[in-house]
Every structure is written in C-alpha cells, then in structure tokens.
Amino acid sequence: KLPSVELHSGFPPQKIDLATYTANKSIESLHTKVGVDEIIIYCVNDGAVMAGWANDLGLENAEANDNEGRITMLGDPAGSLTKQLDMEMTHPGPASVGIIGRCKRFALYAVNGEVKYVAISEAEDDPAGDENPSATLAPALLDAIVSLNKDEL
C-alpha cells in the first residue's frame, strides 16, 4: 500500500496525505485503454517548485484535488515518501558531488492506493538511471499496466 505521507501541492502548499488521496481512485476514466485516473508526479522538492515545473511544462490544473486535471504535481519536501518507498538514492557517486536525499528514478502503478507494479531505472555505474531510463518511461509503464490488466481478467 502507498504510505500515509504528507506531500505538498502548489503554493502556498496544500498539504495532501498520499494514502488518503489515492485510496478511492477508480480505474475507469483517463485513457480507458489502460484504466488510469491520474498521473502523479512527485519529487523531493516543495510545492512551489512543483507548481513552477508544471507551469514551465504548460500543464494546467496540476494541483491535487483539481478535478479538471489528469496530471498532478506534488512535492515531497522532507523526502518522507521517498524514504518510506525505499527509493532514496544511496549510491556514493551523487553524494560525492553534493546530491543528497535524491530520489531514484522510478515509476509505480497503484490501484486505490495498492501498489501493483514498480520499475526502477538504475545500474551500478548509473545510479540515477540517466543512461537508460527506459524502464520508467511511459511506454514501459503502459505495457506493464496493459499486461497486469490482462492477467486480472
């Protein structure tokens, strides 16, 4: 299950409990091909930075509880979710250049708060997954969701 962790949406930050926020999401709307209600993008940062990122990307209605949007940008300012999901990058390489508390590059698929699939893009010589992020990009995640949905039928 996704943990009960406080994340931030927008600025001033609207505090969101992830477990509560995702608990009652149905799988019957966005992209009916794969049954995804919402795409949640988060990073170890604050809600203001995430709102700015959404603005730079041209995303509208990217704040939590906005029923107009399909992509929600959330900040994890203390890295709480990252730690609870065991996704903190602990490789010495990034830390040696001052990158501390960074989140691994990962994607997960959850239904009503229950994690169904997790993918991580990392390698021993590429802890950030920069050289080959393919496991966590949309095509791979969509393939995994379609496969999971077929298995459940």
Side-chain angles (χ1 to χ4, degrees), residues 11-56:
F11 186 80
Q14 174 187 1
K15 295 178 180 179
I16 302 297
D17 177 83
L18 184 65
T20 302
Y21 185 75
T22 59
N24 297 312
K25 298 289 181 177
S26 68
I27 57 168
E28 298 177 20
S29 59
L30 177 69
H31 301 111
T32 54
K33 177 180 176 185
V34 294
V36 173
D37 275 342
E38 181 176 17
I39 297 166
I40 299 173
I41 298 172
Y42 94 95
C43 75
V44 180
N45 227 314
D46 59 46
V49 169
M50 297 306 288
W53 187 15
N55 187 54
D56 287 350

Side-chain angles (χ1 to χ4, degrees), residues 71-87:
I71 299 176
T72 301
M73 305 286 277
L74 298 174
D76 182 19
S80 302
L81 177 60
T82 299
K83 291 172 186 158
Q84 285 197 30
L85 292 175
D86 196 25
M87 289 294 168

Side-chain angles (χ1 to χ4, degrees), residues 108-112 114-118 148 152:
L108 67 80
Y109 171 60
V111 177
N112 295 324
E114 186 76 32
V115 177
K116 302 288 187 177
Y117 175 81
V118 178
L148 284 167
E152 291 180 5

